[in-house]
Amino acid sequence: MPTQVHISLTRIGLTWPNGAECLTDITATYGPGLHGVIGSNGSGKSTLARLLTGDLEPSTGFVRVPGRVSILRQDLGISSSTSVAELLGIAQILQAIDAVARGDVAVETFETIGSDWDIAERAEAELHRAGLDDVALDRLVSTLSGGQAVRVALVGLRLAHAEAVILDEPTNNLDGPARAQLFSFLEELRQTTPTLVISHDRELLNHCATISELRPASPHSSASTLTHTPGNLSEWEEAAAAAEAVAQRHLREAEAAFAREKRERIAQQTKQLRDERRGRKFQENHRKPPIAMNNDKMASQISAAKTRATLAAREQAAHAQLVEAEDSLRNDASVYLDLPDTAVGHGSTTLELQLIEDQQPHDGDVLGTEERHVIVTGSEHVRIAGRNGSGKSTLLRTIVEAHGPGPHLPTVYPGMERTYQVVRRITPVGYLPQNIELEPHHTVLDVVAAANPGATEQRLRDDLARLLFRRDRVFAPVQELSGGERFRVALARILLSAPAPKLLLLDEPTNNVDMATVDWLVGALDSFHGCLVVVSHDEAFLERIRVDRTIELSPADRSPSGGEASDHS
């Protein structure tokens, strides 16, 4: 029986060149199976992946991994000139095969090929298996949708036959069929290959055998440590909730103990002041000789000082226990925001879409009336659904770029079989794209104030506090924020703008954000009273925000050399 391979981390620590600690005292072992890694944005999840792949060396401790480690990165490690063959990891082999065909007989060339003379055929077969028949090996990845690019990268993992696999947010941009392919692939790996999944996807994490959480080593530490527990996400959440209940009980006990010690100290001080007044009055009446009274006074002062020191020490110890109890809480706060100006009239038309007349459905594919002519009314929550590359992001941009209420023909994007034109839409419109751009040197308060110049600083700070940007955090520059915080700033800018949006468009809002930020998003949307249109493959998120109807887009008919490069859903 072959020896099982493992990933092993022993007392790992990482300190950046500027002296800032990132990771501390991380110890874990991962055998064959699926292992989830969770944590807030900025906690070091992707940094941990770089340690495992050898891109980074730890400052302390030891990392042991199998010889062949493959990783699916969030950004896929691609540029505008990356080809499908490069993303698959087979470009050098194909170049070596071409070189041999031209007469190259160098040893190094044959070593590059190894036994992979049929790699092109195997790659094309795997692309076909993944439903990517029209994706040629020389095609640029920039011409694919985001979901298609992820599926190509997953095909590359199949071809690599890695001994360990790391997946960084693998479900981002994946539609239903592609998610099913991913889960099938992970099921194949489960028996033999240690597989770490960095994710916030609840469905995926509930397939995991263990959950590792990266969180601050202490409330005042910039470094994260890791807790490694058996079970899937639901089991981890149950254990975390039980631990939080214990922590809350300890906090109540510590608060009571601190209050008791404080009362005893105050009572002792009151008694001491009363005794001192009595002593002075006794001395004034000359009831004892001066020497005796001075001795009594000195003894009383010594006794009182000892009592004060004892009570102060007990109060200080109780306060330390209170601080420790407070620090043990997870501090997961909820969002409350009042946005009455986002409300729209019940029954009023907020969005009207019309399928362009010269477009024809597939043979045997009959479109219903609702699909040809879509009217969204009031504060409906609408989901735009469809396969990767079907034009969901393009439709959102079409809605954004329509110039207020119609009827008129706004700009539409070519390339889809079924393209909607916007006949009418309500204003104002708020739009949160997948790629968020904020001025890096502006503060949180600057960003929001620019969208609502008539609001006072205090009002904006109050609203930002309700969105969990508290105290001096509102003065933090965007470039110093975590990914989750930048996401929250971008949505806060929209929700707190003047005039307030009555139509809100969100494009894959849960991609690349942690579970705490998803919870924050759900809370913020609870305060929004207008019409919501969202593109998302995150079924758990969609269940939490209420979806009233779904507009289904058909897959686009892409040619091997082209496609809609900017549509990443």
Side-chain angles (χ1 to χ4, degrees):
M1 180 179 295
T3 303
Q4 288 189 339
V5 294
H6 292 77
I7 294 173
S8 177
L9 305 168
T10 306
R11 304 298 296 272
I12 293 298
L14 178 67
T15 302
W16 297 120
N18 64 3
E21 277 193 293
C22 177
L23 302 172
T24 184
D25 197 24
I26 290 180
T27 297
T29 299
Y30 301 99
L34 195 59
H35 308 279
V37 179
I38 63 175
S40 62
N41 290 119
S43 61
K45 301 187 297 296
S46 294
T47 300
L48 180 63
R50 294 177 65 193
L51 288 169
L52 294 174
T53 58
D55 293 343
L56 286 175
E57 290 291 331
S59 304
T60 59
F62 304 96
V63 177
R64 291 184 175 85
V65 295
R68 297 193 308 276
V69 179
S70 291
I71 181 170
L72 177 73
R73 303 181 191 278
Q74 278 192 50
D75 60 3
L76 302 182
I78 60 176
S79 66
S80 58
S81 60
T82 301
S83 69
V84 168
E86 289 173 305
L87 184 53
L88 290 172
I90 64 172
Q92 289 185 329
I93 301 175
L94 293 176
Q95 291 168 4
I97 292 174
D98 288 341
V100 170
R102 294 192 303 269
D104 187 345
V105 294
V107 174
E108 294 82 1
T109 305
F110 283 89
E111 288 178 345
T112 298
I113 299 171
S115 60
D116 290 324
W117 291 92
D118 63 342
I119 191 64
E121 291 77 10
R122 287 194 285 119
E124 289 169 353
E126 288 292 346
L127 289 171
H128 171 76
R129 178 181 176 186
L132 299 168
D133 299 89
D134 61 344
V135 177
L137 296 179
D138 60 352
R139 181 170 171 177
L140 293 180
V141 177
S142 58
T143 66
L144 304 175
S145 74
Q148 289 170 322
V150 173
R151 287 155 66 191
V152 170
L154 289 172
V155 169
L157 294 182
R158 285 184 183 276
L159 295 172
H161 299 298
E163 294 176 292
V165 173
I166 302 168
L167 307 174
D168 196 352
E169 299 289 0
T171 57
N172 283 355
N173 300 311
L174 293 185
D175 58 23
R179 287 172 65 90
Q181 291 174 8
L182 170 64
F183 290 164
S184 175
F185 173 55
L186 295 177
E187 192 62 35
E188 294 174 17
L189 294 177
R190 184 188 298 273
Q191 302 302 321
T192 59
T193 309
T195 305
L196 268 61
V197 178
I198 300 170
S199 181
H200 68 273
D201 188 305
R202 300 185 65 85
E203 182 184 6
L204 177 56
L205 291 169
N206 271 328
H207 282 75
C208 292
T210 70
I211 297 292
S212 295
E213 183 189 22
L214 281 169
R215 60 181 308 197
S218 71
H220 310 292
S221 173
S222 62
S224 295
T225 191
L226 183 141
T227 58
H228 182 58
T229 55
N232 61 24
L233 180 67
S234 295
E235 293 167 325
W236 175 86
E237 286 178 328
E238 290 178 5
E244 184 72 358
V246 172
Q248 290 282 0
R249 187 180 74 247
H250 289 168
L251 175 62
R252 291 191 297 270
E253 292 171 351
E255 287 173 336
F258 177 61
R260 183 172 61 252
E261 297 297 341
K262 188 174 183 178
R263 286 196 304 270
E264 290 189 14
R265 177 183 57 79
I266 293 173
Q268 191 276 337
Q269 288 178 336
T270 302
K271 179 178 181 300
Q272 180 183 348
L273 291 173
R274 186 171 59 246
D275 290 345
E276 288 176 354
R277 287 196 300 270
R278 185 182 300 116
R280 286 195 296 271
K281 186 176 292 185
F282 187 81
Q283 188 174 18
E284 291 169 358
N285 295 332
H286 302 288
R287 294 184 180 179
K288 294 180 70 174
I291 294 178
M293 286 190 293
N294 285 336
N295 289 338
D296 290 346
K297 180 179 179 182
M298 185 176 298
S300 176
Q301 289 175 339
I302 293 173
S303 176
K306 289 181 178 179
T307 302
R308 281 199 305 272
T310 299
L311 292 177
R314 285 166 51 183
E315 183 180 356
Q316 186 176 9
H319 183 262
Q321 291 179 344
L322 174 59
V323 171
E324 183 180 352
E326 289 174 337
D327 289 348
S328 68
L329 298 177
R330 297 190 67 86
N331 195 30
D332 296 332
S334 58
V335 173
Y336 169 74
L337 196 63
D338 188 18
L339 299 171
D341 293 340
T342 62
V344 295
H346 180 70
S348 61
T349 299
T350 51
L351 180 65
E352 185 175 355
L353 304 174
Q354 178 69 51
L355 201 68
I356 292 179
E357 292 300 325
D358 60 359
Q359 294 176 319
Q360 299 298 322
H362 292 291
D363 292 339
D365 186 8
V366 180
L367 290 174
T369 301
E370 185 180 62
E371 289 177 297
R372 286 191 177 278
H373 189 198
V374 177
I375 297 178
V376 181
T377 61
S379 58
E380 281 190 277
H381 287 192
V382 179
R383 176 191 184 184
I384 307 296
R387 295 286 299 269
N388 292 133
S390 59
K392 301 183 293 297
S393 296
T394 296
L395 178 56
L396 291 190
R397 288 194 298 272
T398 301
I399 295 171
V400 172
E401 294 174 11
H403 305 293
H408 58 265
L409 181 64
T411 302
V412 294
Y413 292 81
M416 280 78 67
E417 294 173 358
R418 302 176 186 174
T419 303
Y420 283 99
Q421 69 184 50
V422 181
V423 177
R424 183 182 304 274
R425 69 156 167 77
I426 198 170
T427 58
V429 177
Y431 171 50
L432 191 68
Q434 289 188 41
N435 299 318
I436 294 171
E437 296 184 0
L438 299 171
E439 177 58 47
H441 300 293
H442 286 184
T443 67
V444 173
L445 188 59
D446 291 337
V447 172
V448 177
N452 193 343
T456 65
E457 178 179 321
Q458 188 58 54
R459 176 189 165 188
L460 292 177
R461 292 192 65 175
D462 289 344
D463 284 339
L464 284 169
R466 296 185 183 100
L467 291 172
L468 307 187
F469 288 102
R470 297 186 176 123
R471 303 184 186 90
D472 291 342
R473 199 58 181 164
V474 300
F475 301 116
V478 167
Q479 62 188 0
E480 295 181 5
L481 303 179
S482 69
E485 287 177 315
R486 286 194 293 272
F487 172 88
R488 290 196 280 130
V489 172
L491 186 58
R493 175 177 61 178
I494 295 171
L495 295 179
L496 302 179
S497 64
K502 296 183 180 295
L503 173 61
L504 180 60
L505 312 177
L506 304 179
D507 193 356
E508 297 286 5
T510 62
N511 278 3
N512 301 317
V513 298
D514 53 44
M515 289 187 290
T517 303
V518 175
D519 292 339
W520 179 94
L521 173 60
V522 172
L525 292 180
D526 281 343
S527 307
F528 179 72
H529 306 297
C531 176
L532 176 66
V533 179
V534 59
V535 171
S536 179
H537 299 298
D538 189 336
E539 298 293 342
F541 164 71
L542 292 167
E543 288 179 7
R544 297 175 68 186
I545 63 169
R546 190 197 87 231
V547 173
D548 300 309
R549 64 193 297 190
T550 296
I551 299 174
E552 186 79 30
L553 302 184
S554 66
D557 186 11
R558 300 279 188 256
S559 65
S561 60
E564 189 190 355
S566 58
D567 182 8
H568 290 280
S569 54

